[in-house]
């Protein structure tokens, strides 16, 4: 079986989620503090080998009207770098509401601001990956 890696892209951090082998359930994996592109790619390559990941889903932050803004352009550049370096299919998934949804869920769990900040990116990655898995079945 194969797993899918979900990534919530940020300039400072990558929220990471991993599917189960049946590709039906997404779970939080980690929040990676970004360094530089080469270090980031090396870290992701290690994850791919460790967890037998065969594809990646990258959250794409579209504008409310569905257009691509500067942040979405950054994500597409990162997508190209992932595809070239890791030689795996990289899909994008509309993530317009995932960060807000993650924040809402963490607020409902009565977490402090510091706890929310630590978990928000990984939870956003779970929401991106879970949405993709449900859409692709």
């Amino acid at each position: 079986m194969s797993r899918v890696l979900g990534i919530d892209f940020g300039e400072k951090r990558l929220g990471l989620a991993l599917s189960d082998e049946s590709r039906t359930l997404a779970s939080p994996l980690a929040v990676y503090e970004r360094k530089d592109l080469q270090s980031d790619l090396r870290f992701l390559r290690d994850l791919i080998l460790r967890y037998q990941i065969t594809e990646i889903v990258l959250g794409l932050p579209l504008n409310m009207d569905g257009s691509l803004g500067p942040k979405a352009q950054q994500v597409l550049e990162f997508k190209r770098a992932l595809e070239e370096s890791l030689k795996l299919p990289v899909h994008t998934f509309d993530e317009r509401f995932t960060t807000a949804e993650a924040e809402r869920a963490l607020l409902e769990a009565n977490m402090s601001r510091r706890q929310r900040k630590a978990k928000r990116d990984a939870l956003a990655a779970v929401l991106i990956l879970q949405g993709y898995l449900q859409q692709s079945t």
Side-chain angles (χ1 to χ4, degrees):
M1 280 300 221
S2 62
R3 295 178 188 256
V4 183
L5 177 67
I7 301 177
D8 178 45
F9 176 86
E11 290 180 34
K12 295 180 182 176
R13 288 177 298 281
L14 299 177
L16 303 169
L18 189 63
S19 77
D20 61 348
E21 290 182 355
S22 67
R23 299 165 65 110
T24 54
L25 185 65
S27 300
L29 181 61
V31 175
Y32 170 74
E33 296 289 331
R34 297 193 63 200
K35 295 167 183 61
D36 57 72
L37 184 59
Q38 291 312 310
S39 298
D40 300 348
L41 292 171
R42 225 179 351 268
F43 174 81
L44 293 170
R45 192 174 300 114
D46 290 344
L47 280 184
I48 286 163
L49 293 172
R50 183 178 325 147
Y51 293 103
Q52 298 172 328
I53 294 164
T54 56
E55 61 186 290
I56 297 171
V57 179
L58 192 55
L60 185 63
L62 299 172
N63 292 325
M64 284 305 181
D65 65 1
S67 65
L68 297 172
K71 180 89 170 171
Q73 293 294 343
Q74 283 183 307
V75 168
L76 292 175
E77 288 172 25
F78 188 65
K79 176 184 186 287
R80 280 189 287 281
L82 289 173
E83 289 170 331
E84 287 173 18
S85 174
L86 305 176
K87 308 294 186 218
L88 289 178
V90 180
H91 313 281
T92 57
F93 185 80
D94 180 358
E95 67 151 41
R96 278 180 272 192
F97 305 107
T98 55
T99 302
E101 192 177 332
E103 183 70 19
R104 208 170 22 260
L106 295 171
L107 280 169
E108 288 173 9
N110 286 326
M111 292 188 164
S112 70
R113 176 174 280 156
R114 175 178 281 158
Q115 289 171 316
R116 288 194 314 269
K117 184 179 179 193
K119 297 191 183 302
R120 180 178 34 240
D121 296 322
L123 183 53
V126 167
L127 294 170
I128 290 164
L129 180 55
Q130 192 65 55
Y132 172 79
L133 294 171
Q134 289 170 340
Q135 174 185 303
S136 63
T137 54

